[in-house]
């Protein structure tokens, strides 16, 4: 698993990258009550706002961590936003991306580096 | 480093896992480890303890007689002060000459004096305002050596009565003073969650003991500002600086229930408060806009500042408080709209992240109140 400074996790699944938010991010957000997902089959650029998460406290965005195509979204989150708090690194993945070059993932933090960031 | 003031029980909040945030000049617990949603639901199901010591507590002690003081206090508000019986509390509003709201407050007749509780962010201005208007007839004492708690929810009575037996006999908006091992406590049967409950002023020396005793009682959990806000929003109650301010009148805000008949046209003491011209005119003719309850369709909350439109595109106003209602299980909001569009059932649109989404005007409160009348 790789991590971004924006507290997303990235997991390689075959030729796709699965994206979600970290447990740290979920607990900082508090109880999530609303999730808005991107349209599948959308081309996005790194830094694009692709998802909206609203907790009881506030709204925040998920940014595209990479250039690529969103090929799948986790529609379950729309009806059950609380999944983001219950299982942020498992059932509550947000979207899957197809990217040209998997080697770009090397630039992201590994688990130890991310643990340092949030400590 | 922070220059925010600390509550007397700051260390207790930290030891309970409270997440502290700046609010109205104080470091305040916004939530505890349970989180806003669980704290909210717990308050409605059992009992929640809120530290609201940031609010302003003021005693008005008459120099001559209570009648002089009550007359002078009435001249500051469109509210019946003279008619308030000893042992009773009432909601009040300081208004300005334009009819805008300077602050909302609770005041009580405690027999030989009045007690007042005002909002934290306004308290310095309120004390000066009272000093200016009441200084000739009363000693205005800003009480800074007492903590203030709210204990709210269906188990609040049992929890407090175990420590202060006399409170069980109180009804909604009754006030009383009780001698306890924590010192003399000033209790009112009131709160700002829509639930039955109490507000308790306790000498700082006894505050931690009282808080710990209440928290040790089955059913009582500490509750932060986050849930305090969602609870009051579900109860349809205004937050000063958001739903009401100097730019809104009590009539626009739908607070006409707080203006007793005696202060209205034809009443024994009609008018004679700041902004009376506008407020009495709005009572007679209706205001141009009104505060309403709003239920967004779907799950997207409409937060403060969300612009509201008629489905034909005409701007109508904006949301002043909005979020998710944990007991309602859906997003809820309040805001101001043109009076023509304030009838429950009216379909409007709110602009969220550039998209116009459907929202319906609904009656307030969103969640039924359970005051012990």
């Amino acid at each position: 698993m790789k991590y971004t400074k924006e507290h997303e996790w990235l997991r390689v699944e075959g030729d796709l990258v699965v994206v979600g938010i970290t447990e740290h991010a979920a607990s900082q957000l508090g109880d999530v009550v609303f999730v808005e997902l991107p349209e599948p089959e959308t081309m996005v650029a790194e830094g694009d706002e692709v998802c909206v998460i609203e907790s009881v406290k506030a709204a925040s965005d998920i940014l595209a961590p990479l250039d690529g195509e969103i090929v799948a979204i986790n529609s379950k989150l729309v009806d059950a936003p609380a999944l983001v708090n219950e299982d942020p690194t498992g059932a509550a993945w947000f979207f899957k991306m197809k990217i040209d070059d998997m080697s770009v993932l090397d630039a992201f933090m590994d688990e130890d580096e991310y643990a340092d960031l949030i400590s | 480093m922070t220059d925010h003031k600390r509550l007397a029980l700051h260390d207790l909040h930290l030891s309970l896992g409270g997440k502290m945030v700046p609010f109205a000049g104080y470091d305040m617990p916004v939530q505890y480890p349970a989180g806003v949603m669980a704290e909210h639901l717990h308050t409605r199901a059992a009992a929640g303890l809120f530290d609201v010591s940031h609010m302003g507590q003021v005693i008005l002690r008459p120099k001559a007689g209570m009648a002089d003081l009550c007359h002078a206090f009435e001249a500051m508000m469109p509210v019946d002060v003279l008619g308030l019986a000893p042992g009773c509390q009432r909601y009040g509003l300081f208004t300005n000459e334009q009819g805008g709201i300077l602050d909302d407050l609770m005041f009580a007749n405690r027999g030989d004096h009045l007690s007042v509780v005002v909002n934290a962010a306004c308290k310095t201005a309120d004390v000066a305002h009272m000093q200016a208007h009441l200084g000739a007839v009363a000693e205005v004492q800003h009480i800074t050596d007492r903590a203030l708690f709210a204990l709210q929810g269906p188990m609040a009575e049992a929890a407090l009565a175990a420590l202060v037996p006399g409170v069980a006999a109180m009804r909604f908006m009754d006030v009383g003073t009780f001698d306890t091992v924590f010192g003399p406590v000033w209790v009112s049967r009131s709160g700002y969650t829509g639930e039955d409950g109490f507000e308790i002023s306790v000498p700082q020396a006894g505050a931690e003991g009282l808080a710990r005793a209440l928290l040790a009682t089955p059913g009582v959990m500490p509750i932060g500002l986050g849930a305090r806000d969602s609870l009051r929003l579900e109860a349809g109650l205004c937050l000063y600086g958001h739903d009401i301010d100097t730019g809104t009148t009590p009539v626009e805000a739908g607070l006409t229930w707080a203006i007793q008949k005696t202060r209205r046209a034809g009443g024994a003491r009609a008018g004679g408060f700041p902004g009376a011209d506008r407020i009495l005119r709005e009572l007679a003719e209706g205001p141009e806009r009104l505060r309403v309850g709003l239920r967004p369709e779907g799950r997207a909350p409409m937060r403060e500042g969300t612009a509201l439109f008629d489905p034909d595109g005409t701007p109508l106003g904006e949301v002043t408080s909005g979020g998710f209602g944990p007991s309602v299980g859906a997003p809820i909001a309040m805001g101001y709209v043109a009076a023509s569009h304030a009838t429950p059932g009216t379909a409007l649109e709110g602009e969220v992240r550039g998209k116009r989404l459907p929202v319906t005007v609904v009656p307030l409160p969103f969640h039924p109140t359970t005051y012990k009348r």
Side-chain angles (χ1 to χ4, degrees):
Chain A
M1 199 114 100
K2 291 287 191 177
Y3 299 88
T4 72
K5 287 194 185 74
E6 282 76 36
H7 306 283
E8 295 149 294
W9 52 260
L10 314 175
R11 189 171 57 217
V12 176
E13 198 177 274
D15 62 342
L16 301 179
V17 178
V18 189
V19 181
I21 67 166
T22 66
E23 202 162 325
H24 172 76
S27 89
Q28 290 294 310
L29 281 171
D31 305 292
V32 173
V33 295
F34 171 76
V35 171
E36 188 174 271
L37 296 166
E39 293 291 321
E41 294 171 34
T42 314
M43 296 303 295
V44 295
E46 182 190 334
D48 284 358
E49 293 168 8
V50 284
C51 300
V52 177
I53 310 177
E54 298 236 18
S55 73
V56 283
K57 289 182 239 161
S60 43
D61 301 309
I62 296 187
L63 309 181
L66 303 156
D67 296 345
E69 182 184 5
I70 303 224
V71 293
I73 55 169
N74 185 1
S75 322
K76 255 197 262 176
L77 298 184
V78 174
D79 295 321
L83 267 184
V84 177
N85 299 105
E86 289 157 14
D87 192 8
T89 51
W93 60 276
F94 277 74
F95 53 87
K96 299 183 183 183
M97 292 184 75
K98 190 170 211 161
I99 60 174
D100 287 341
D101 177 8
M102 283 289 194
S103 72
V104 298
L105 289 175
D106 297 342
F108 291 96
M109 285 175 277
D110 63 19
E111 189 151 359
D112 287 347
E113 289 167 323
Y114 182 67
D116 283 347
L117 178 79
I118 60 173
S119 67
Chain B
M1 282 294 287
T2 166
D3 52 1
H4 291 105
K5 284 181 262 186
R6 287 190 166 179
L7 300 172
L9 298 191
H10 186 82
D11 291 344
L12 177 63
H13 295 304
L14 292 181
S15 74
L16 292 167
K19 189 168 158 187
M20 308 303 279
V21 299
F23 179 82
Y26 285 80
D27 251 350
M28 297 288 295
V30 67
Q31 64 166 83
Y32 298 89
V36 176
M37 190 91 84
E39 290 170 28
H40 176 117
L41 296 171
H42 182 88
T43 303
R44 297 242 187 269
L49 180 66
F50 305 72
D51 186 348
V52 290
S53 302
H54 60 310
M55 299 187 80
Q57 304 183 59
V58 181
I59 294 288
L60 305 174
R61 209 168 284 284
K63 288 179 174 167
M66 277 291 271
D68 284 354
L69 168 56
C70 292
H71 269 293
F73 204 36
E74 274 202 355
M76 300 176 73
M77 305 193 286
V79 176
D80 177 9
V81 179
L82 278 159
L84 182 65
C88 293
Q89 180 176 260
R90 188 163 273 173
Y91 179 76
L93 300 148
F94 290 143
T95 48
N96 65 19
E97 290 302 330
Q98 293 72 45
I101 301 171
L102 292 168
D103 199 7
D104 65 338
L105 54 114
M106 288 287 189
F107 67 98
N109 180 339
R110 292 178 180 268
D112 61 354
H113 67 276
L114 298 178
S115 64
V116 184
V117 177
V118 299
N119 283 301
C122 305
K123 65 184 177 184
T124 307
D126 286 340
V127 170
H129 186 54
M130 285 187 275
Q131 187 60 49
H133 285 79
L134 306 174
V137 295
E139 200 82 50
V140 178
Q141 302 174 321
H142 185 187
I143 307 295
T144 53
D145 57 357
R146 282 179 164 260
L148 186 66
F149 298 128
L151 183 68
Q152 303 278 291
M155 291 173 76
E157 181 188 294
L160 188 59
L163 304 172
V164 190
V167 303
M170 297 173 77
R171 314 294 296 192
F172 183 57
M173 295 296 247
D174 284 354
V175 297
T177 299
F178 301 89
D179 284 317
T180 72
V181 296
F182 314 106
V185 295
W186 307 338
V187 180
S188 62
R189 192 152 198 165
S190 54
Y192 221 58
T193 60
E195 295 295 319
D196 179 29
F198 301 88
E199 289 167 300
I200 311 143
S201 170
V202 56
Q204 258 168 22
E208 181 166 350
L210 175 60
R212 286 191 186 275
L214 288 169
L215 290 170
T217 309
V220 180
M221 232 172 86
I223 309 296
L225 281 183
R228 183 171 165 81
D229 190 49
S230 56
L231 287 159
R232 70 93 199 162
L233 175 56
E234 279 187 347
L237 299 169
C238 292
L239 179 61
Y240 191 81
H242 299 259
D243 306 300
I244 50 176
D245 57 26
T246 52
T248 60
T249 71
V251 185
E252 290 175 331
L255 299 173
T256 52
W257 54 267
I259 307 174
Q260 286 77 21
K261 271 200 179 128
T262 189
R263 306 303 307 278
R264 300 184 185 205
R269 298 187 309 284
F273 51 84
D277 288 356
R278 176 162 177 195
I279 291 169
L280 295 180
R281 186 183 71 239
E282 286 185 349
L283 277 170
E285 300 169 8
E288 283 178 20
R289 57 180 192 150
L290 272 167
R291 179 175 63 99
V292 295
L294 298 162
R295 271 293 291 269
E297 248 176 58
R299 285 183 155 271
M302 292 187 180
R303 308 269 179 192
E304 181 173 1
T306 300
L308 298 165
F309 300 87
D310 185 276
D312 74 8
T314 311
L316 293 173
E318 67 175 44
V319 170
T320 51
S321 277
F324 186 81
S327 301
V328 175
I332 54 174
M334 301 195 294
Y336 284 83
V337 296
S340 55
H341 289 67
T343 312
T346 306
L348 309 178
E349 288 179 350
E351 191 166 296
V352 180
R353 292 180 282 273
K355 275 181 261 178
R356 301 271 170 99
L357 303 175
V359 54
T360 306
V361 177
V362 296
L364 293 170
F366 296 98
H367 185 83
T369 57
T370 56
Y371 307 132
K372 189 178 170 187
R373 293 191 192 272

